[in-house]
Amino acid sequence: MNDSVLGSIATFGVYLAVMVAIGLWVYRRTVSQSDFVLGGRQLNPWVAGLSANASDFSGWLLLGLPGAIYVSGLGEAWIAVGLATGFAGSWILLAPRLRVYTERVTDSRAGGDSDSLTLSSFLENRFNDRTRLLRGISAVLIIVFYFFYVASGLVAMAALFDQVFGLDPAPAIAIGLSIVVLYTVLGGFLAVSYTDVIQAAMMWLALLVVPVMAVVALGGFGGVSASVGEKSDGLLSVVGGVALEGEAWVNTETLGWVVIVSGLAWGLGYFGQPHILARFMGIRSVKDIRVAGVVSVTWAVTAMALAVLVGFIGIAYFDTPLANPEQAFPQLIEALTHPLVAGILLAAILAAVMSTADSQLLVAASSLTEDGYKAFVDRDADPRTLLWISRGTVLAVAIAAGAIALWGNQSVMDLVGYAWAGFGAGFGPVLILAVFWKRMTSIGAIAGMVVGGGTAILWDILDAAYIGTGLYAMVPAVILSFLAIVVFNGFGRVTGAMESDFDRVQAEVREARSGSSPDGVAAG
């Protein structure tokens, strides 16, 4: 066994042991379903901000985005621009209102003391939906799309273990999932959030160290630019039109407006990602959101800029095109660094994968428990019973996602893009209007979710067969979701309680932002 493998084994072993230790540390603090799902709403701003980043970017940031740049050049950077804009917008527009709304608007059938621990329960409580359709449909969307989202991380995990240790996909996924499930089951939301802080730091440092070493090796930024230009002038075009085919980059017929609009549309997804929105719901105070947002957006913008640079460095550094473009970052690590350093940097990729997989497993399991078992089977279930059911469903969701990863045949970027569009269109328009439009009704919300989620599922098939635009599914899905909400909203009813809840939440948000402390807001 060579030094590189031994170094990676040692580094990975230490990293995984720390993750489990954190799970054990917070185990005793996780005594109820509320603790398991949202950590008692006590995240400080730094943990909330960095946890939102780590749970968001995953292997997509270190593998998918550099790989997309490697294949198609600067045109793919519009994704990063869209994501940065959407991320900032979600912290500004959605975070404060969602934090207050999910705690203040409760289930009247539970005596007014059951706040919203999941997006599905929030929507049911916000619209006073006694039919349970809203909760049921939203829970189905969460479960379906999370299977694919978690699977994307497992595909990245399998690729990493294959490159570093030569492991086949099945044992690689089994090892990675075992660790993620263990500390998630032990500590729930707090374990996931605290491990995310470490993982976010590892990801950002790895994205900084590798480009610095590579740029020096290539003779500075001028050397990188010149080498990329030699491969194809189109790689530096902001409208795309280049793709890697075999041993060379060739011109394509991709329309510039499609590249730009599709890339920017990724930013709309932030308004509907349950694992990211959970950080908004779990932060300890509305007044902490400003600091958390600055920390989070700063990290995101710099990390994505570095990931784009990694993609271009990969083009410049390797003389022969890579068989798997999504391996550009790990192959640069192995080519540029000492085996022990390589082990640390490669562990950052594992951290990226695990930091998202754990959050997604937690949200999916919470939805199954809160929106399935508690809502439809035993409404008065004991909190500790719900806690153990949630722990069991984490394992069940992990096994299902592992099966998709093993028997599917898609890249990390494809799987993430599919799930991102599904959540963004299925929940984004509904949540935005839910916290800004007093007259919105449950019928409008149901129509928006069904049309948005359904379009995200069907668009690629319909576009390939009949339309041929190549447009990212997020664009038509979001447009049709907003349209469906407006068209069908009038078929529902707005109650006096809904209007008074809306006014109370808006007042609390305004007071918190102005610096005063309405009862309960500062304390969370």
Side-chain angles (χ1 to χ4, degrees):
M1 189 175 293
N2 61 43
D3 291 341
S4 178
V5 174
L6 287 174
S8 296
I9 290 175
T11 305
F12 278 39
V14 171
Y15 163 72
L16 295 174
V18 170
M19 298 299 101
V20 175
I22 291 174
L24 290 169
W25 173 54
V26 299
Y27 175 73
R28 292 186 177 277
R29 297 172 59 183
T30 306
V31 297
S32 69
Q33 177 70 351
S34 178
D35 293 333
F36 190 80
V37 176
L38 287 181
R41 299 184 191 265
Q42 288 299 313
L43 291 187
N44 70 53
W46 281 84
V47 173
L50 292 175
S51 181
N53 293 128
S55 65
D56 169 21
F57 285 100
S58 72
W60 173 87
L61 178 67
L62 278 68
L63 301 177
L65 181 55
I69 296 294
Y70 185 91
V71 170
S72 301
L74 191 59
E76 293 292 336
W78 287 106
I79 295 176
V81 175
L83 289 174
T85 304
F87 201 29
S90 68
W91 275 106
I92 296 168
L93 298 175
L94 199 53
R97 290 166 176 80
L98 195 63
R99 172 61 180 86
V100 176
Y101 234 136
T102 54
E103 185 174 29
R104 295 291 179 262
V105 180
T106 60
D107 185 352
S108 60
R109 288 165 295 184
D113 61 353
S114 177
D115 64 352
S116 306
L117 300 181
T118 66
L119 288 182
S120 302
S121 60
F122 160 65
L123 290 171
E124 180 179 84
N125 294 340
R126 161 68 176 88
F127 297 110
N128 194 27
D129 179 27
R130 299 304 181 96
T131 68
R132 299 285 177 85
L133 275 175
L134 196 55
R135 190 166 190 163
I137 293 171
S138 59
V140 169
L141 287 177
I142 287 173
I143 299 304
V144 168
F145 286 117
Y146 267 138
F147 283 151
F148 291 96
Y149 216 147
V150 176
S152 72
L154 300 182
V155 170
M157 187 183 297
L160 178 63
F161 276 91
D162 176 43
Q163 179 176 334
V164 179
F165 305 117
L167 283 178
D168 291 333
I173 289 174
I175 293 170
L177 265 183
S178 297
I179 301 298
V180 173
V181 168
L182 179 57
Y183 72 74
T184 303
V185 164
L186 287 171
F189 187 79
L190 288 178
V192 167
S193 298
Y194 290 141
T195 55
D196 279 350
V197 173
I198 297 174
Q199 291 159 339
M202 292 175 64
M203 292 160 62
W204 195 90
L205 288 173
L207 282 168
L208 177 64
V209 169
V210 173
V212 168
M213 297 180 68
V215 168
V216 171
L218 291 167
F221 288 103
V224 175
S225 178
S227 182
V228 171
E230 290 175 1
K231 304 291 174 64
S232 173
D233 291 337
L235 288 168
L236 296 174
S237 169
V238 295
V239 295
V242 177
L244 177 63
E245 294 184 6
E247 296 293 314
W249 283 265
V250 300
N251 292 329
T252 68
E253 296 181 356
T254 303
L255 296 176
W257 72 268
V258 173
V259 173
I260 296 173
V261 172
S262 295
L264 293 176
W266 278 70
L268 299 172
Y270 275 111
F271 295 91
Q273 306 298 318
H275 55 292
I276 301 172
L277 301 180
R279 272 65 191 171
F280 300 168
M281 296 159 64
I283 198 168
R284 68 188 177 192
S285 166
V286 175
K287 295 198 294 185
D288 287 325
I289 287 176
R290 184 185 301 273
V291 173
V294 171
V295 170
S296 191
V297 173
T298 300
W299 187 101
V301 170
T302 54
M304 285 190 289
L306 290 168
V308 169
L309 179 58
V310 167
F312 282 115
I313 288 171
I315 296 171
Y317 190 87
F318 298 108
D319 293 329
T320 303
L322 300 175
N324 182 357
E326 291 186 343
Q327 291 300 301
F329 188 57
Q331 291 205 25
L332 283 170
I333 290 173
E334 293 192 332
L336 291 166
T337 62
H338 183 277
L340 289 177
V341 177
I344 297 172
L345 297 175
L346 289 169
I349 300 177
L350 181 61
V353 174
M354 294 176 68
S355 63
T356 300
D358 55 17
S359 298
Q360 294 164 346
L361 286 173
L362 181 63
V363 173
S366 301
S367 184
L368 280 170
T369 305
E370 282 286 311
D371 307 319
Y373 182 83
K374 182 180 179 181
F376 294 98
V377 178
D378 186 358
R379 192 167 192 83
D380 300 315
D382 179 76
R384 292 193 65 85
T385 299
L386 292 173
L387 171 62
W388 284 102
I389 292 174
S390 290
R391 285 171 166 154
T393 51
V394 167
L395 178 60
V397 173
I399 292 172
I404 293 173
L406 283 174
W407 287 295
N409 187 30
Q410 289 179 291
S411 70
V412 175
M413 196 73 171
D414 290 339
L415 288 167
V416 170
Y418 183 73
W420 190 263
F423 282 128
F427 287 104
V430 172
L431 289 172
I432 291 171
L433 293 180
V435 300
F436 280 102
W437 187 16
K438 183 192 292 190
R439 302 296 299 176
M440 188 175 176
T441 68
S442 62
I443 301 300
I446 290 172
M449 281 196 299
V450 171
V451 172
T455 303
I457 292 172
L458 298 174
W459 174 256
D460 286 346
I461 298 173
L462 296 174
D463 188 49
Y466 303 107
I467 307 173
T469 63
L471 193 63
Y472 182 35
M474 182 77 77
V475 179
V478 166
I479 292 173
L480 291 176
S481 178
F482 273 118
L483 184 61
I485 293 170
V486 173
V487 170
F488 288 94
N489 194 70
F491 292 97
R493 186 171 67 92
V494 179
T495 66
M498 290 165 59
E499 291 186 324
S500 63
D501 284 340
F502 185 93
D503 291 336
R504 182 160 54 98
V505 168
Q506 302 307 311
E508 288 196 12
V509 172
R510 285 194 299 270
E511 289 178 27
R513 281 180 162 174
S514 68
S516 58
S517 299
D519 293 341
V521 174

